[in-house]
Amino acid sequence: MATLAKRWKSVSAAMVAGALVISGCSAAERHRSTASPTTATPSRTSRPPLTAEQLKALAFKDSEVPQANSVPVQDPLPETQKPNFPPVSDASCQRAFDVLHAETSAAHVIQIFNWKENLMGGGSTLASYEGVEAREAFRRLQDALKTCKSFTGVAWAGEYSAKITVEKAPDVGDEALSFHLIMPMPEVGGRDEHHVFVRVGDATAHFTELNLGQKAQFPVDLVKQQVDRLSSAQHR
């Protein structure tokens, strides 16, 4: 059982820590150097962004997710430990992954879901932003997904190809997006990675679920619960 638990944690941690580690790691610097001046409306609140400790406190506890063996929360990898893969072949897809990695957040934490019924696992990234940055991050992802359809890249196992399919997002938060990242893997019937990205006030929640041979779907009830917590924390 201990060996199996380590496998759950290892597989899902690899998925969550870098959105399958499918993008390069110089994204933040690229974004800061090319972004145009913002014309977005002022932030709805003058409160400072949620801290990493506050985000951790808003994440789920093991007892709150009975369908999982454990739901550990961890800090992002230090810069010196992040993989340095080259950007993916499509620039719009790379911009999407930069947002999913919470590159411009004030703080973010990662939660891993070691499911009882799915060894591939799932995860979430909770992030807080200064001012209008959460709105801008959501807009960058929304715009990127309009043209990001397929791409190639390099990851731990070598070169790979993938495609993106956008679907209707759940009705949660201030605005939400949902899509699937699909990789052809004939030996296991394909690899499907479900993403849900939600903005709630000046914070975002990014949920991922991985499955082999069948469609992945992160539990919508957990998405709603987590988003409600982020909303309540910003209205206290």
Side-chain angles (χ1 to χ4, degrees):
M1 185 67 181
T3 300
L4 191 55
K6 289 180 181 178
R7 182 183 175 191
W8 281 319
K9 184 171 183 179
S10 174
V11 172
S12 54
M15 177 185 70
V16 178
L20 284 178
V21 200
I22 51 183
S23 62
C25 296
S26 59
E29 292 304 317
R30 290 199 306 274
H31 169 67
R32 293 190 185 101
S33 64
T34 60
S36 58
T38 179
T39 57
T41 56
S43 173
R44 63 168 183 79
T45 176
S46 59
R47 291 172 180 256
L50 297 169
T51 66
E53 288 306 312
Q54 288 174 311
L55 292 172
K56 288 178 182 178
L58 295 171
F60 292 107
K61 308 298 185 292
D62 283 349
S63 60
E64 296 173 323
V65 190
Q67 62 267 51
N69 287 287
S70 63
V71 288
V73 180
Q74 62 188 41
D75 293 313
L77 288 174
E79 288 297 325
T80 56
Q81 295 182 26
K82 289 182 179 180
N84 191 28
F85 297 120
V88 298
S89 61
D90 185 283
S92 60
C93 296
Q94 182 62 53
R95 288 193 294 272
F97 300 140
D98 294 347
V99 175
L100 298 180
H101 291 169
E103 294 284 4
T104 61
S105 67
H108 65 282
V109 299
I110 296 165
Q111 180 155 43
I112 298 168
F113 294 83
N114 293 312
W115 305 120
K116 294 178 180 178
E117 301 297 331
N118 180 6
L119 295 182
M120 295 298 98
S124 66
T125 299
L126 308 182
S128 62
Y129 292 81
E130 297 271 5
V132 298
E133 281 294 316
R135 288 181 178 85
E136 292 179 346
F138 186 91
R139 205 64 56 222
R140 287 196 300 275
L141 178 59
Q142 186 177 52
D143 290 344
L145 291 177
K146 292 177 182 178
T147 55
C148 174
K149 304 302 180 183
S150 62
F151 61 93
T152 59
V154 179
W156 297 111
E159 295 183 358
Y160 67 92
S161 61
K163 66 178 183 178
I164 297 286
T165 60
V166 178
E167 66 176 16
K168 183 179 179 180
D171 185 15
V172 294
D174 294 316
E175 44 191 352
L177 293 165
S178 179
F179 67 93
H180 288 261
L181 188 155
I182 302 168
M183 295 183 185
M185 298 178 66
E187 66 276 15
V188 294
R191 172 178 179 152
D192 184 27
E193 184 183 348
H194 182 220
H195 290 256
V196 178
F197 188 84
V198 185
R199 182 185 69 81
V200 49
D202 297 330
T204 62
H206 169 218
F207 305 89
T208 58
E209 179 80 358
L210 174 64
N211 217 330
L212 300 178
Q214 58 184 313
K215 186 176 181 179
Q217 199 75 36
F218 194 93
V220 68
D221 59 325
L222 293 181
V223 172
K224 292 178 178 178
Q225 290 178 48
Q226 185 65 84
V227 169
D228 286 346
R229 291 185 182 188
L230 284 170
S231 178
S232 296
Q234 294 177 79
H235 286 88
R236 291 173 184 168

